[in-house]
């Protein structure tokens, strides 16, 4: 078989076609970023080679000086980017350059709006990568060979970025990847030495390998010296430099490289620890949640380096799950170079680094919350729900994490989550010693819950929680700064000193007076309720539902049931407001059947306003209709 026989034409995955089209149209105002993307890939490829060569020196093939080279040809209008990194096998080329394997791809395409400005933002979050070459090139030729394979295993991939690409087997003497961009006529500037240099300095100065270009002598920009190359970047790992020497732009470009993000980060923290355990960390908080935030297989969290050598992506031992939005690097001086994921799991250096890293990130968030309220609000909007997993996962830092929480509250008129627990405590009433909250499955359900009536009357603030994670989170959060949390929809409501003697006596009297009614209702409702009792929570509604202190909120029970989970049968208590005209009317009802119907309707109503689910909705409707009809008689 000849080498030619291997040439074949393959179609791009549909998503790749969509992505290419979108990218060429939406990124044309910032074309130069293609260089950053390709250099970033080349640098990753060299990192991978260096790592694999730790256990197999032969992969270096006698050339261990890793570098990136850029060649320009003005006449042919080409830009060629060469790396001596790991390279790709034929299968890898098909997998990496013909398809998008990223998790979250489907969500990404669903999120597209057709509005170019908005879609350009989205594409940034998704990461443009290799395909960005087509922003400036109408043909791309990639030739690659995996390190350690024979020269005859070279692969040439070529495409005009439309429907398909060709693939052929070629001879390639050196390992690594060479990408030739055949520039569009309008983009000829990327074949000019000074232009490309300035782009490299702008975006890729932090790349730790040398990026070499042909030397140009002063006054002779056009005449590159054929064989003389020089590094055009500073080629030192950014994090090894001291903070004072690194500009914001450099931090930002480094972020885009490690996080594969196209947008600027929200904040960063760079830290060097020296002593028995020496390491450097550089962490970033992104501006936007990635599409795959809830995907268990997502990658690209924290990169681990040992003594400047890249070891692995997504070292999940370095950051707890509730901080999974953090991106960045850790470079340890103490770990062995041959460290594996297994070793990381039980390593005391890692344990120390992780504890220190959590402290740094929480500290960064704390200072942001104090000094940059708007930024913090942005953070909270994107990642608050993730941080709420903290109390369950990180008992040690529970209080610190809780201090970072922001809630919607009856203190606000809308659903903005901006009330901290400290704000709440600062506004507590005389005699109040609990932090009151309610959980519901929507903000409206929380805000309009009958349970809040007495709190409105007394002017006591209640936190309104309607994120799905809230009910679960609160089961791990029992107190904050010595004040315990109390759900207003659970247990016996104890307003303590905030209820005066007269109110207590009135309640007792009304309970005594209503004894007969309470018993009749309990008989009518039977097993549906634990108890029927007189309330002191309500001022406007006839009744409400209360679950026991340790039980799950009614709305949560519904969510679990709908998700097909088994929910233990928990009997709620029905609390009634004897002052309400409907309850008074009920008390006066002598027809037992009608009393019965009426009691059930009240019970079902209480269940509905609690966000619960009726066991028998049809009966509720027919009873209600009966009652409405009786009004017309
Ligand atoms: P990303 O870099 O976000 O993974 P890309 O589309 O840029 O997405 O690249 C896809 C994959 O192709 C990379 O993850 C890598 O495996 C491979 N790749 C790209 N460029 C190179 C290169 N120069 N050398 C080796 N592999 C590469």
């Amino acid at each position: 078989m000849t080498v030619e026989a291997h040439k074949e034409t393959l179609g791009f995955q549909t998503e790749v076609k969509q992505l290419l089209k979108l990218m060429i149209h939406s990124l044309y105002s910032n074309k130069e970023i293609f260089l950053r993307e390709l250099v970033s890939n080349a640098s990753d490829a060299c990192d991978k080679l260096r790592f694999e060569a730790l256990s197999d020196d032969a992969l270096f093939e006698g050339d261990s000086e890793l570098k990136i080279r850029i060649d320009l040809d003005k006449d042919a209008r080409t830009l060629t980017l060469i790396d001596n990194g790991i390279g790709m096998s034929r299968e890898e080329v098909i997998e990496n350059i013909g398809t998008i394997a990223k998790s979250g791809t489907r969500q990404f395409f669903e999120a597209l709006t057709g509005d170019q400005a908005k879609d350009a933002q989205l594409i940034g979050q998704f990461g443009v990568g290799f395909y960005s070459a087509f922003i400036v090139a109408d043909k791309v030729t990639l030739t690659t060979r995996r390190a350690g394979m024979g020269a005859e295993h070279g692969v040439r991939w070529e495409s005009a970025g439309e429907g398909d690409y060709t693939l052929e087997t070629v001879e390639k003497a050196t390992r690594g990847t060479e990408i030739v961009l055949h520039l569009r006529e309008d983009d000829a500037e990327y074949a000019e030495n000074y232009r490309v240099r300035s782009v490299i300095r702008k975006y890729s100065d932090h790349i730790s390998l040398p990026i070499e270009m042909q030397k140009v002598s002063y006054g002779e920009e056009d005449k590159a010296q054929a064989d003389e190359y020089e590094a055009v970047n500073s080629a030192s790992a950014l994090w090894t430099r001291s903070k004072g020497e690194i500009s914001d732009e450099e931090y930002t470009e480094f972020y885009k490289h490690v996080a594969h993000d196209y947008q600027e980060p929200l904040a960063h923290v760079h830290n060097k620890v020296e002593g028995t355990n020496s390491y450097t960390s550089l962490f970033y908080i992104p501006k936007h949640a990635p599409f795959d935030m809830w995907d268990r297989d997502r990658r690209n969290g924290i990169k681990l380096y040992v003594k400047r050598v890249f070891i692995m992506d997504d070292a999940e031992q370095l950051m707890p799950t509730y901080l999974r939005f953090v991106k960045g690097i850790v470079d340890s001086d103490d770990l062995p170079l041959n460290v594996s994921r297994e070793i990381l799991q039980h390593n005391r250096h890692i344990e120390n680094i992780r504890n220190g890293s959590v402290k740094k990130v929480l500290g960064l968030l704390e200072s942001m919350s104090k000094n940059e309220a708007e930024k913090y609000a942005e953070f909270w909007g994107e990642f608050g729900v993730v941080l709420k997993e903290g109390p369950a996962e990180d008992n040690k830092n529970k209080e610190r994490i809780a201090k970072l929480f922001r809630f919607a509250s009856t203190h606000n008129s809308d659903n903005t989550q901006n009330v901290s627990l400290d704000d709440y405590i600062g506004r507590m009433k005389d005699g109040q010693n609990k932090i009151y909250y309610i959980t519901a499955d929507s903000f409206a359900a929380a805000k309009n819950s009958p349970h809040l009536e007495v709190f409105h009357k007394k002017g006591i603030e209640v936190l309104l929680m309607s994120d799905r994670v809230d009910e679960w989170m609160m089961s791990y959060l029992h107190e904050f700064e010595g004040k315990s949390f109390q759900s207003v929809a659970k247990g016996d409501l104890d307003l303590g000193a905030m209820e005066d003697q007269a109110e207590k006596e009135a309640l007792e009297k009304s309970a005594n007076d209503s004894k007969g009614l309470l018993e009749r209702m309990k008989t009518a409702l039977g097993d549906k309720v634990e108890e029927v009792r007189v309330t002191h929570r309500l001022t406007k509604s006839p009744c409400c539902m209360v679950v026991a202190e340790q039980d799950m909120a009614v709305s949560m029970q519904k969510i679990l049931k709908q998700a097909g989970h088994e929910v233990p049968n928990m009997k709620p208590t029905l609390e009634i407001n004897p002052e309400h005209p409907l309850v008074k009317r009920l008390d006066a009802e002598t027809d037992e059947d009608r009393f019965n119907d009426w009691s059930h309707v009240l019970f079902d109503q209480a269940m509905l306003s609690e966000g619960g689910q009726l066991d028998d909705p049809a009966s509720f409707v027919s009873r209600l209709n009966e009652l409405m009809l009786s009004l017309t008689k």
Side-chain angles (χ1 to χ4, degrees), residues 14-25:
T14 325
E15 282 83 356
V16 176
K17 277 189 256 173
Q18 272 175 283
L19 186 66
L20 281 168
K21 223 188 196 158
L22 180 69
M23 205 160 47
I24 293 164
H25 292 290

Side-chain angles (χ1 to χ4, degrees), residues 159-192:
S159 176
E162 281 156 10
D164 50 29
Y165 60 91
T166 59
L167 211 54
E168 66 188 302
T169 302
V170 294
E171 290 264 334
K172 189 172 185 308
T174 52
R175 65 152 194 274
T177 304
E178 176 189 306
I179 303 172
V180 183
L181 308 190
H182 305 268
L183 300 167
R184 293 171 202 276
E185 217 174 318
D186 288 350
D187 299 309
E189 62 191 278
Y190 298 106
E192 310 216 14

Side-chain angles (χ1 to χ4, degrees), residues 41-42 45 48 83 87-88 96-97 102 129-131 177 260 299:
N41 281 346
K48 277 181 209 154
D83 70 63
M88 284 177 272
N96 296 331
I97 309 286
K102 272 178 212 164
F130 172 77
Y131 302 109
T177 304
H260 295 249
R299 43 173 212 154

Side-chain angles (χ1 to χ4, degrees), residues 302 311-317 338-346:
I302 308 296
I311 304 293
M312 66 178 80
D313 269 319
D314 192 20
E316 65 268 15
Q317 284 81 11
N338 62 355
V339 65
S340 66
R341 282 187 197 271
E342 291 65 44
I343 292 176
L344 288 187
Q345 277 166 14
H346 330 268

Side-chain angles (χ1 to χ4, degrees), residues 31-267:
K31 290 179 168 184
E32 60 194 28
I33 58 108
F34 80 90
L35 257 178
R36 172 186 72 206
E37 300 293 322
L38 297 182
V39 166
S40 179
N41 281 346
S43 159
D44 286 347
C46 291
D47 275 350
K48 277 181 209 154
L49 174 70
R50 192 173 357 223
F51 175 67
E52 286 193 20
L54 288 174
S55 50
D56 181 5
D57 205 39
L59 292 177
F60 277 131
E61 301 177 12
D63 168 23
S64 60
E65 257 180 66
L66 300 176
K67 60 184 172 200
I68 299 168
R69 211 175 81 195
I70 298 176
D71 278 331
L72 305 173
D73 185 333
K74 266 174 109 168
D75 299 331
R77 220 193 308 132
T78 58
L79 179 153
T80 304
L81 197 131
I82 303 158
D83 70 63
N84 57 356
I86 191 78
M88 284 177 272
S89 67
R90 190 183 180 93
E91 289 70 38
E92 284 169 326
V93 171
I94 296 174
E95 200 179 303
N96 296 331
I97 309 286
T99 58
I100 306 175
K102 272 178 212 164
S103 48
T105 311
R106 196 173 48 81
Q107 292 98 303
F108 170 73
F109 284 100
E110 278 168 7
L112 293 177
T113 57
D115 173 333
Q116 275 194 12
K118 277 195 199 134
D119 290 350
Q121 290 273 316
L122 283 171
I123 202 170
Q125 291 177 52
F126 189 73
V128 286
F130 172 77
Y131 302 109
S132 65
F134 290 101
I135 306 175
V136 295
D138 50 19
K139 188 168 85 177
V140 175
T141 312
L142 173 147
T143 312
T144 186
R145 173 168 68 75
R146 192 137 198 339
M149 289 168 100
E152 70 280 14
H153 290 282
V155 187
R156 177 161 299 147
W157 176 101
E158 192 166 78
S159 176
E162 281 156 10
D164 50 29
Y165 60 91
T166 59
L167 211 54
E168 66 188 302
T169 302
V170 294
E171 290 264 334
K172 189 172 185 308
T174 52
R175 65 152 194 274
T177 304
E178 176 189 306
I179 303 172
V180 183
L181 308 190
H182 305 268
L183 300 167
R184 293 171 202 276
E185 217 174 318
D186 288 350
D187 299 309
E189 62 191 278
Y190 298 106
E192 310 216 14
N193 198 300
Y194 73 94
R195 176 75 177 107
V196 173
R197 276 173 191 249
S198 84
V199 178
I200 295 292
R201 285 210 202 90
K202 179 166 168 193
Y203 294 110
S204 305
D205 197 50
H206 61 80
I207 294 287
S208 54
L209 310 162
I211 303 170
E212 296 183 343
M213 288 181 66
Q214 276 181 326
K215 267 192 177 165
V216 188
S217 44
Y218 183 72
E220 287 190 82
E221 277 88 2
D222 286 349
K223 285 191 211 128
Q225 263 117 324
D227 284 328
E228 278 196 74
Y229 283 85
E230 64 185 349
V232 295
N233 62 331
S234 30
S236 65
L238 179 101
W239 64 89
T240 58
R241 291 155 53 189
S242 69
K243 285 187 225 181
E245 288 171 17
I246 307 173
S247 68
D248 284 348
E249 289 74 31
E250 287 175 303
Y251 275 122
T252 296
E253 289 311 322
F254 184 68
Y255 165 76
K256 291 177 179 174
H257 169 61
V258 284
H260 295 249
D261 192 349
Y262 174 68
Q263 299 188 340
E264 292 179 4
L266 195 63

Side-chain angles (χ1 to χ4, degrees), residues 584-598:
K584 286 193 164 143
R585 170 72 183 70
L586 177 66
D587 197 17
E589 181 58 64
T590 49
D591 178 339
E592 277 314 303
D593 281 345
R594 193 180 282 183
F595 181 91
N596 207 18
D597 280 349
W598 205 304

Side-chain angles (χ1 to χ4, degrees), residues 361-394:
V361 173
L362 294 180
L364 173 65
L365 294 175
E366 280 158 4
S367 79
M368 203 198 295
S369 73
K370 280 194 200 100
N371 309 320
E372 297 170 287
E374 260 174 50
K375 231 184 196 189
Y376 190 73
E378 243 183 278
F379 161 78
W380 183 257
E382 286 296 315
F383 302 111
V385 282
V386 182
L387 198 66
K388 282 180 180 178
E389 295 173 16
E393 191 185 355
D394 189 354

